[in-house]
Amino acid sequence: MAYAAITGWGKCLPPAVLTNADLATFLDTSDDWIRTRTGMRERRISHVPAIDMAAVASARALACAGLGAQELDLIVYGSCSSDEQVPNSASGVQVRLGAHNAGAMDINTACTSFLYGLSAAGAMVRSGVVRNALVIGVELISPYMDWDNRNVSVLFGDGAAAVVLQSSESELGVLGEHLGCFADARQTLRVRGMGCSYANQGVQYGDTLWDFDGQEIFRRAVKGMAQATEKALARCGIATDQIDLMVPHQANLRIIESVAKYAGVPMDKVFLTVERYGNMSAATVPVALVEALEAGRVKPGATILMPGFGGGLTVCSHVVRWGDRVTPIGHSAAELPPNERTALEMVNAIRAQRVNRSASERGLMAPRFAEAGLLQGLGTGSGA
Ligand code: UT7
């Protein structure tokens, strides 16, 4: 039987830092509120397209694995903020890497896109469809953030990371996983303005409104990640006390603490990045995994738990067995181009571009396919 070992890892964080104090220059908010309610102090704002961040993270992951780009059979690009819908973004990474022998596909399950991608690519490696795969989690949320809505704009940041999966005869990689979705709550997190329903409605790029029921998402996230973890552990017959490290989705410190408590994992076994990067959606778990390795928190042979949730509301949990190697084989020289502007300058430029019209004038309340119940039926009933 083949397994899908994680043999390479790399991250790419844009350098510009947006602090809580920066947010308080244009929002009715405070460092104290954001820190106590979310655990966040700062997040990153990208000066480049998402594919650029993904390509740098991928080049670093390949060098870490000691694998040539031509040896890749598959690229999975996990994201809900692709630079374009067509062509897909994985193909853009393929071009950048020169990975001419790889298939290339995008996966969007919002914040769980990397973890769902890990499942898809892992299954293909285990079944022999491919031998070497790259799985990316990347997000460029800042251009379509509704910056003047304090309920959401303090929570998110940009970033990217990637891992290399390679076929292995040793029992490594994902040993057990569970994927689920609370589709009855899909209306709790919706970005109006993105997608074909808004095409030719007078909606401009980045002109968005966020529907966001933070408290309901919070409740579902805790319940969903706890349940998914129980099922993932049961599937591979691993007990909670065998978990060496938990690397969860980092949307809110209080959510992480609750999930750890339900799962029975002490907080000193939980790796946190939420304070420095906020919620980078699909990039959050892989960035945290890379930083856990860099910090020496992943020991050879470690068993790692990775619970996640996101829009949909998708939930999942993965149990991963690490190999002997916890240091990179090689390093890539890939870097982002230099950045001239501060994060606050970039955010204020996005805010200035946002169109100052009512939601209905902007076409955001009247999507083309509303009658199908997909957008205004709030996701309930058969139309969902
Ligand atoms: O990956 C999926 C992404 N989604 C999430 O992760 C969301 C999960 N939910 C959460 O993390 C939390 O629900 C939030 C952090 C979003 C909100 O925390 P909360 O403790 O549930 O606060 P709340 O929504 O109950 O709001 C409490 C108060 C409200 O004021 P009133 O009505 O009590 O006067 C809000 O208007 O805090 C106010 N508030 C803020 N105040 C200062 C909301 N956002 C802010 C803000 N700064 N940024």
Side-chain angles (χ1 to χ4, degrees), residues 62-250:
L62 283 173
C64 174
L67 194 74
Q70 306 257 8
E71 295 173 89
L72 274 181
D73 305 310
L74 177 70
I75 298 171
V76 178
Y77 187 102
S79 183
C80 63
S81 55
S82 286
D83 297 331
E84 294 174 294
Q85 290 298 312
V86 181
N88 75 349
S89 292
S91 62
V93 175
Q94 197 227 49
V95 169
R96 296 291 181 85
L97 296 176
H100 307 301
N101 300 314
M105 71 175 185
D106 292 4
I107 286 187
N108 172 9
T109 56
C111 300
T112 57
S113 299
F114 168 79
L115 291 169
Y116 270 59
L118 193 63
S119 285
M124 286 195 226
V125 172
R126 290 197 297 271
S127 64
V129 174
V130 301
R131 285 189 62 79
N132 301 323
L134 181 73
V135 183
I136 302 163
V138 51
E139 223 70 76
L140 178 65
I141 298 176
S142 54
Y144 69 89
M145 175 47 67
D146 187 358
W147 281 106
D148 291 294
N149 177 355
R150 69 176 185 176
N151 293 322
V152 287
S153 61
V154 303
L155 301 175
F156 292 92
D158 302 331
V163 299
V164 172
L165 301 185
Q166 291 190 262
S167 182
S168 167
E169 285 174 13
S170 305
E171 195 178 1
L172 298 173
V174 176
L175 301 186
E177 74 232 269
H178 179 79
L179 311 180
C181 181
F182 295 123
D184 64 308
R186 64 195 295 274
Q187 78 281 2
T188 58
L189 176 43
R190 165 169 289 127
V191 182
R192 294 178 188 266
M194 293 177 78
C196 297
S197 284
Y198 301 94
N200 302 314
Q201 302 280 303
V203 180
Q204 297 182 13
Y205 173 70
D207 191 8
T208 54
L209 270 186
W210 287 53
D211 295 348
F212 192 81
D213 182 348
Q215 292 192 357
E216 183 62 12
I217 299 168
F218 193 116
R219 274 191 288 274
R220 300 285 190 135
V222 173
K223 183 178 164 194
M225 285 196 282
Q227 287 176 346
T229 293
E230 204 179 316
K231 289 177 181 166
L233 288 170
R235 187 159 291 183
C236 54
I238 286 179
T240 307
D241 59 9
Q242 291 175 272
I243 299 295
D244 298 303
L245 189 69
M246 180 165 124
V247 182
H249 179 48
Q250 321 248 339

Side-chain angles (χ1 to χ4, degrees), residues 29 33 37 111 150-151 212 214-215 249 251-252 254 279 309:
T29 190
W33 191 97
R37 298 291 178 123
C111 300
R150 69 176 185 176
N151 293 322
F212 192 81
Q215 292 192 357
H249 179 48
N252 186 319
R254 292 184 294 138
N279 181 356
F309 76 97

